[in-house]
Amino acid sequence: VEPVMDAVPSVAVDPVTVVDPDCVPANRALFDQYYDASEWERALPLAQALAQKAMRDGDPSTRSEFYRKRGVVIWRTGDPRAAAESIIIALEIRPNNVLALEALGELAKDHPQAYDFPATYRELEKIYRKREDGLGLLARVLVAQAVMVEREGDLDEAERLYADAAGRSTGDFSVVSARVDLYVSMRRWKQGVETMMAFLNGSPPPQHDVRIKALLRVAEITADGEMEAHKAIRVLAEIIRLDESVVEAHYLLAQEYYSLGRFHEARAAIERVIELAAAPGLGVSPEQLARYY
């Protein structure tokens, strides 16, 4: 029998959902696919349709993660209040969902008036203070509270909260980074660098990728805040020694050489940036590559 597939029209649809539009696993998989691709508008109808069934189906971890993702989708499509409600449901289902706690913190920072975040964080603080595994979670709550009081202008209270959070979660880069951001906003460059260096020299030492992020932050503060080009070059050289493929380190190095009038070294550094950025698989956008050129 000769194949007759040529007679079938080509239609870009999901075959499982066509056979059974109410198939929860298929819709959940499609939702995850849209979410991973940041196709928020396409993910939104599925997020809303799955909401009721997701409350009943699956283990707490799966249900909590769905409501977190649903909240992010709603946030990205323009409804921060409903997004906060969805993320809070995720935390009610599974209070130790770190990604949900992080998403709530970002949402509260970007849209502080969209929800009663102070009351929410007071309740979360009570919960995490009672949990045996709540130390790191409590640190993130304290950071979120620090962001709110910093916005109101109470820098002393913000610094106290950041320090409290850092003491409870010494190896958490997001916590120490938030504290350093406060010092940078206050133009206390030296204190920001010292705080990040103490994190880098802590025990146990941070993992490789976190070490790179921390050193890049030190280089940025040293270069743009302290205006110490030679010092920044030493930090950037250390990053490149640890991982030669870090494009941003070469890019910043070129800028610092340029600021010192060391143009041959600046050119070598920026040409290395272009070489790395153009390598297959790195995923550098045309806009970024144009910026480097």
Side-chain angles (χ1 to χ4, degrees):
V1 179
E2 292 296 322
V4 293
M5 291 302 295
D6 290 342
V8 180
S10 175
V11 182
V13 295
D14 181 78
V16 180
T17 55
V18 169
V19 173
D20 183 0
D22 296 323
C23 177
V24 174
N27 280 294
R28 179 75 68 87
L30 193 59
F31 168 75
D32 288 338
Q33 196 170 32
Y34 289 150
Y35 181 91
D36 292 340
S38 300
E39 296 186 36
W40 312 121
E41 295 292 343
R42 300 181 76 179
L44 182 61
L46 289 168
Q48 306 295 41
L50 287 165
Q52 292 300 319
K53 293 179 180 179
M55 182 61 81
R56 306 187 301 270
D57 297 343
D59 59 82
S61 179
T62 300
R63 288 185 283 123
S64 176
E65 189 59 6
F66 167 75
Y67 274 98
R68 176 190 73 85
K69 289 182 177 180
R70 177 176 177 269
V72 173
V73 168
I74 294 171
W75 174 13
R76 298 305 183 193
T77 51
D79 191 347
R81 180 176 181 81
E85 291 171 348
S86 187
I87 295 169
I88 289 168
I89 291 172
L91 289 168
E92 289 173 348
I93 296 170
R94 184 168 168 258
N96 61 343
N97 187 338
V98 176
L99 293 177
L101 198 56
E102 288 179 350
L104 187 67
E106 293 172 10
L107 181 61
K109 188 174 183 179
D110 289 352
H111 300 280
Q113 306 305 321
Y115 199 79
D116 189 355
F117 291 111
T120 300
Y121 278 113
R122 283 195 297 270
E123 291 303 313
L124 288 170
E125 182 181 355
K126 293 176 185 176
I127 292 169
Y128 295 140
R129 286 189 183 277
K130 296 176 182 177
R131 291 176 64 100
E132 293 182 1
D133 63 346
L135 206 59
L137 300 167
L138 178 58
R140 291 168 185 267
V141 168
L142 293 171
V143 166
Q145 291 173 327
V147 170
M148 289 185 287
V149 299
E150 181 183 347
R151 184 184 294 111
E152 294 168 359
D154 192 347
L155 300 183
D156 290 337
E157 177 62 9
E159 186 173 3
R160 186 193 69 77
L161 287 166
Y162 282 128
D164 190 3
R168 295 173 186 275
S169 189
T170 55
D172 192 327
F173 177 71
S174 65
V175 172
V176 73
S177 185
R179 187 182 185 188
V180 168
D181 287 346
L182 173 67
Y183 292 139
V184 168
S185 67
M186 297 169 69
R187 303 178 66 84
R188 287 158 59 174
W189 319 118
K190 182 179 179 181
Q191 201 163 356
V193 169
E194 288 175 348
T195 300
M196 194 61 81
M197 292 306 299
F199 168 77
L200 283 164
N201 296 325
S203 181
Q207 295 181 347
H208 175 77
D209 59 333
V210 176
R211 176 171 290 274
I212 296 299
K213 290 179 183 178
L215 285 170
L216 279 171
R217 190 72 177 109
V218 170
E220 290 168 355
I221 298 170
T222 304
D224 299 335
E226 295 182 314
M227 305 293 286
E228 294 280 356
H230 290 95
K231 187 176 174 183
I233 286 171
R234 289 195 295 272
V235 177
L236 293 165
E238 172 62 11
I239 295 171
I240 293 168
R241 185 190 70 79
L242 292 171
D243 189 343
E244 210 272 338
S245 67
V246 181
V247 174
E248 189 67 11
H250 292 276
Y251 183 68
L252 294 174
L253 187 63
Q255 292 181 318
E256 295 312 302
Y257 280 142
Y258 186 91
S259 71
L260 294 173
R262 294 163 61 174
F263 301 121
H264 290 291
E265 291 163 291
R267 178 175 176 176
I270 199 66
E271 286 180 347
R272 182 58 178 147
V273 170
I274 292 168
E275 181 184 353
L276 290 168
L282 194 61
V284 174
S285 68
E287 291 81 6
Q288 285 176 291
L289 196 58
R291 177 173 175 241
Y292 298 149
Y293 272 106

